[in-house]
């Protein structure tokens, strides 16, 4: 009997191959694990912000395609409308998540999240920026400010006795993008560090503006959000002057056995460099193998070795956590941005639970897109 797995995949203007890369790595790794009779049924859910569409596509995969497992690229807020369907069907649901939101509703037992831990990284960045009780200027794009990065940055800054003394939020329109207000804020309230939340094309716009304005725009150390340092986008940007710290969930330069197999497999079978979405698909294959063979409850406190290190599913949050990596955005030989990893950061269960169980009451923004999906 074939193994039937359904996928809900979004579209992304900035990462047009996102869905293909997830599926390619998933298929390659499952075959490596010994599943050769794989049947994948896929449905496109746009940017993930249409709850009725997502529900209808998931229902179709379960009822018409009779999938044994449903995998969805989805933030936690967009996943919550599917909980009822997961519960009534009794099938396991696995969500692949950038980890830039926190839940509004309680999870159900057969729903698990494989996370890139955006908010864990943002909390740690806040701690770095706020150390020594520093005043911190927060700079965010209009897109990134609508997720939980600034909130967890502020939590980390507060934990170190620091303060957020100014907020700059850019437009998302390319024709109107400028950092004039950011430059004004540099001269107000005596900031001592900048925490920056940008992703997708907005990273490049911000870096270009910093380069144009020169050293006057970069007198302070920057602490950059994890997806500002996503290598596929980052390496297209010219490096400005300045010092740019970051924390990321994974990097191509990491060295371990799982990473070697992963990078080699993607290069040999797809003739391209592996990226963050390949990583999610690769990891999802390991988790799917466990779910199919042992059921949803087997993920509670279960771990596996990934290219980013040991990934563990916490029984309480039903979300994975793994090491993070601290590093710098530095210039390469051609003057473009590159990522240099300096050290591994272990995330303990208590810290993960504290961040991911945090419920903020009320609507936090009008952004409903899955993170990266614009």
């Amino acid at each position: 009997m074939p193994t039937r797995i359904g996928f809900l995949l979004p579209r992304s203007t900035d990462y047009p191959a996102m869905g293909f890369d997830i599926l390619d790595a998933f298929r390659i790794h499952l075959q490596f694990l010994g599943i050769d009779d794989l049947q994948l049924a896929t449905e496109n859910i746009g940017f993930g912000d249409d709850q009725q569409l997502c529900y209808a596509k998931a229902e179709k995969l379960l009822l018409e395609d009779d999938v044994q497992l449903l995998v969805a690229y989805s933030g936690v807020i967009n996943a919550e409308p599917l909980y009822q369907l997961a519960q009534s069907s009794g099938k396991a649901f696995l969500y692949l998540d950038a980890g830039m939101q926190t839940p509004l509703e309680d999870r159900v037992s057969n729903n698990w999240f494989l996370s890139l831990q955006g908010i864990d990284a943002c909390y740690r960045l806040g701690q770095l920026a706020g150390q020594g009780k520093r005043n911190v200027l927060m700079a965010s794009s209009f897109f990134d400010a609508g997720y939980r990065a600034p909130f967890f940055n502020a939590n980390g800054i507060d934990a170190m006795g620091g303060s957020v003394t100014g907020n700059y939020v850019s437009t998302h329109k390319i024709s109107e993008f400028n950092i004039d207000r950011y430059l004004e804020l540099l001269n107000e309230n005596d900031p001592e560090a900048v925490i920056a939340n940008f992703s997708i094309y907005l990273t490049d716009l911000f870096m270009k503006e910093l380069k144009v304005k020169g050293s006057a725009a970069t007198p302070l150390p920057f602490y950059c959000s994890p997806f500002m340092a996503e290598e596929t986008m980052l390496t297209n940007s010219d490096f400005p002057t300045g010092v740019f710290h970051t924390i990321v969930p994974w990097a191509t330069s990491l060295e371990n056995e799982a990473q070697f197999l992963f990078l080699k497999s993607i290069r040999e079978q797809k003739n391209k460099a592996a990226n963050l979405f390949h990583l999610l698909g690769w990891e999802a294959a390991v988790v799917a193998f466990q779910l199919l063979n042992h059921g949803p409850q087997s993920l509670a406190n279960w771990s596996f070795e990934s290219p980013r290190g040991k990934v563990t599913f916490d029984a309480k949050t039903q979300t994975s956590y793994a090491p993070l990596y601290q590093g710098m955005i530095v210039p390469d030989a051609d003057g473009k941005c590159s990522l240099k990893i300096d050290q591994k950061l272990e995330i303990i269960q208590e810290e993960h639970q504290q961040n991911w169980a945090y419920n903020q009451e009320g609507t936090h923004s009008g952004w409903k897109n899955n993170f990266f999906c614009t």
Side-chain angles (χ1 to χ4, degrees):
M1 180 178 177
T3 302
R4 294 187 298 276
I5 299 175
F7 267 85
L8 296 180
L9 294 171
R11 59 180 288 244
S12 172
T13 304
D14 291 278
Y15 297 97
M18 176 191 286
F20 295 104
D21 291 343
I22 291 172
L23 282 178
D24 284 341
F26 183 83
R27 184 182 294 107
I28 291 167
H29 202 188
L30 265 189
Q31 289 175 345
F32 181 82
L33 293 171
I35 296 183
D36 296 316
D37 58 347
L38 181 64
Q39 290 184 357
L40 295 179
T42 63
E43 294 289 338
N44 187 291
I45 54 172
F47 296 132
D49 55 346
D50 186 333
Q51 294 182 357
Q52 291 184 337
L53 174 66
C54 293
Y55 191 97
K57 293 295 182 72
E59 190 174 51
K60 186 259 182 187
L61 289 172
L62 293 169
L63 296 179
E64 295 183 24
D65 297 297
D66 192 26
V67 298
Q68 298 159 257
L69 165 68
L70 191 142
V71 183
Y73 183 92
S74 177
V76 62
I77 304 299
N78 288 332
E80 288 173 347
L82 299 179
Y83 289 178
Q84 182 180 358
L85 184 59
Q87 200 164 28
S88 61
S89 70
K91 300 290 180 65
F93 279 42
L94 174 64
Y95 302 98
L96 313 182
D97 185 11
M100 294 297 277
Q101 299 283 28
T102 52
L104 299 176
E105 299 180 8
D106 292 336
R107 307 281 168 85
V108 294
S109 61
N110 54 337
N111 281 249
W112 293 85
F113 285 78
L114 180 60
S115 174
L116 293 175
Q117 298 170 264
I119 63 171
D120 286 341
C122 288
Y123 177 77
R124 287 290 189 99
L125 282 163
Q127 289 182 309
L128 290 177
Q131 61 190 345
K133 300 182 179 181
R134 286 190 291 193
N135 292 332
V136 181
L137 170 58
M138 190 172 291
S140 303
S141 78
F142 181 69
F143 177 76
D144 293 87
Y147 294 87
R148 293 295 179 91
F151 177 76
F152 281 91
N153 288 157
N155 282 355
I157 293 168
D158 289 345
M160 302 302 289
S163 300
V164 176
T165 58
N167 278 285
Y168 160 77
V169 179
S170 79
T171 180
H172 63 290
K173 296 180 179 179
I174 296 174
S175 61
E176 298 176 5
F177 194 96
N178 68 76
I179 60 170
D180 293 347
R181 179 55 183 155
Y182 161 78
L183 293 173
E184 292 174 355
L185 288 168
L186 282 177
N187 298 310
E188 298 176 10
N189 303 318
D190 299 318
E192 300 164 276
V194 178
I195 200 155
N197 293 297
F198 291 83
S199 64
I200 52 177
Y201 69 96
L202 293 153
T203 295
D204 186 48
L205 292 177
F206 186 58
M207 289 299 205
K208 281 181 178 177
E209 281 289 291
L210 292 178
K211 186 175 178 64
V212 168
K213 302 300 183 183
S215 58
T218 58
L220 304 176
F222 287 81
Y223 295 85
C224 301
S225 60
F227 305 120
M228 186 172 175
E230 192 281 311
E231 291 174 277
T232 304
M233 283 288 169
L234 184 67
T235 53
N236 294 323
S237 300
D238 291 330
F239 185 82
T241 60
V243 176
F244 297 84
H245 303 274
T246 190
I247 295 176
V248 296
W250 170 78
T252 56
S253 61
L254 300 182
E255 295 184 2
N256 57 64
E257 289 185 12
Q259 172 90 321
F260 177 80
L261 176 62
F262 169 57
L263 297 179
K264 179 174 180 287
S265 298
I266 300 302
R267 173 60 69 186
E268 288 181 351
Q269 298 206 35
K270 303 310 299 183
N271 194 31
K272 64 192 298 188
N275 59 42
L276 203 57
F277 306 109
H278 286 119
L279 176 72
L280 274 178
W282 185 265
E283 291 184 342
V286 183
V287 183
F289 190 83
Q290 178 72 12
L291 285 167
L292 291 168
N293 286 286
H294 303 287
Q297 295 312 307
S298 71
L299 292 193
N301 299 318
W302 173 74
S303 302
F304 68 95
E305 289 299 323
S306 159
R308 54 175 160 151
K310 184 179 179 181
V311 178
T312 301
F313 280 89
D314 178 57
K316 184 176 180 180
T317 64
Q318 294 173 234
T319 301
S320 69
Y321 63 97
L324 296 171
Y325 295 88
Q326 185 175 332
M328 305 280 291
I329 297 172
V330 297
D332 65 12
D334 299 316
K336 296 292 186 179
C337 293
S338 64
L339 178 61
K340 175 179 175 290
I341 297 301
D342 295 323
Q343 63 176 310
K344 182 179 183 179
L345 305 176
E346 295 293 348
I347 301 297
I348 63 173
Q349 187 178 47
E350 290 76 12
E351 179 181 342
H352 161 76
Q353 289 180 350
Q354 176 183 326
N355 286 339
W356 287 94
Y358 194 97
N359 260 315
Q360 184 179 348
E361 294 182 2
T363 302
H364 44 83
S365 84
W367 278 113
K368 304 299 182 184
N369 305 43
N370 290 328
F371 195 80
F372 286 131
C373 299
T374 59

